Amino acid sequence: MAGLLAPGVAQASETATVREILDGDELYINERQAKVNDKAVAPQEVNTRNSRAQLSFASGAAGRLNRFSELRLGSGCFLLAKGEVLVSGKQSGCTRSSRLSVRGTNYVLTVDDQGVSELSVLEGSVEVEPLKDGQPTGQPTTTVNAGERLRLSAAGVVLTLLRLSSGDYTSILKGPLFEGFRAPLPAFGSLESYIRSSIPGVPLPSLPAAPVPSFGFPRFF
């Protein structure tokens, strides 16, 4: 993990708090079953089995984990070992083949069983530094802008850089990283603005209704 904690990267938070768990209760912190409001501290691992979850980083960003995902907290970035995470806000991420530096954005990061990673930037931009086994390769960084998808090999080699289609956006916004969640995303407003201005045909996910406050009224009978 030492190669993922190098200075010079905007330091991400070292803690994450569980905000929501969906599809059962199969969320674990260091293999201990977790519940809402539990906190993970670097270098602890957070993993899901057949459940999904939303985490709140101390930086103010949020991370939504898909089923069968594994994320380890660090001081420079979190490490996604496998699975899929949606990040909303200022939170850098890492895989064994890349370090992602952000200033506030919405992106989806996936890692498959072979270590191949895929970054989809829904809004904003992400600077990607290639790594090999967690160490910089010396290769130049790649800036991935809103509406682009980058695919990296397990050795940190850029395989493809493609545009996201409106169908790609629809699939993500109607998929497991959005469906059913009620906890808000910190940077959802920026994502909504980008979609409305750049790909207006894409339907936005409906936000959960705010709870209606109850007021006590005096009784006259």
Side-chain angles (χ1 to χ4, degrees):
M1 194 67 176
L4 301 177
L5 307 179
V9 178
Q11 294 297 294
S13 147
E14 294 185 352
T15 64
T17 303
V18 179
R19 293 302 181 204
E20 189 171 8
I21 305 172
L22 301 180
D23 311 325
D25 55 4
E26 296 184 29
L27 175 71
Y28 299 86
I29 298 174
N30 272 13
E31 300 303 320
R32 176 183 59 82
Q33 193 166 31
K35 59 185 184 297
V36 172
N37 293 326
D38 280 355
K39 181 178 289 188
V41 180
Q44 290 182 321
E45 290 184 352
V46 181
N47 66 76
T48 58
R49 294 176 190 172
N50 200 26
S51 294
R52 295 174 289 152
Q54 179 161 326
L55 308 176
S56 177
F57 298 101
S59 62
R64 286 180 179 172
L65 287 170
N66 204 347
R67 302 175 185 91
F68 304 106
S69 298
E70 183 179 304
L71 179 151
R72 181 165 30 157
L73 296 172
S75 62
C77 59
F78 64 75
L79 172 69
L80 183 67
K82 66 177 182 179
E84 184 175 43
V85 62
L86 163 70
V87 177
S88 180
K90 185 180 179 181
Q91 180 68 39
S92 297
C94 287
T95 70
R96 285 295 176 188
S97 63
S98 62
R99 177 187 284 114
L100 317 179
S101 299
V102 305
R103 286 185 172 83
T105 188
N106 293 271
Y107 66 89
V108 176
L109 180 63
T110 65
V111 178
D112 68 16
D113 292 338
Q114 287 71 48
V116 175
S117 59
E118 191 171 84
L119 167 69
S120 298
V121 179
L122 306 181
E123 174 275 328
S125 63
V126 178
E127 185 176 296
V128 181
E129 179 184 8
L131 304 176
K132 184 176 182 180
D133 296 326
Q135 299 292 336
T137 65
Q139 297 299 311
T141 61
T142 301
T143 299
V144 186
N145 295 308
E148 293 181 341
R149 174 177 286 160
L150 177 72
R151 189 172 174 84
L152 286 171
S153 74
V157 177
V158 174
L159 300 175
T160 56
L161 178 59
L162 303 171
R163 292 292 303 172
L164 290 169
S165 67
S166 58
D168 292 328
Y169 270 90
T170 299
S171 178
I172 293 170
L173 295 174
K174 288 183 174 292
L177 295 173
F178 284 88
E179 184 182 27
F181 281 97
R182 297 187 62 82
L185 292 173
F188 182 80
S190 298
L191 175 60
E192 182 180 28
S193 296
Y194 175 80
I195 290 174
R196 289 190 187 279
S197 63
S198 301
I199 38 177
V202 172
L204 288 160
S206 57
L207 295 176
V212 178
S214 59
F215 299 97
F217 294 97
R219 297 184 63 175
F220 299 101
F221 55 89

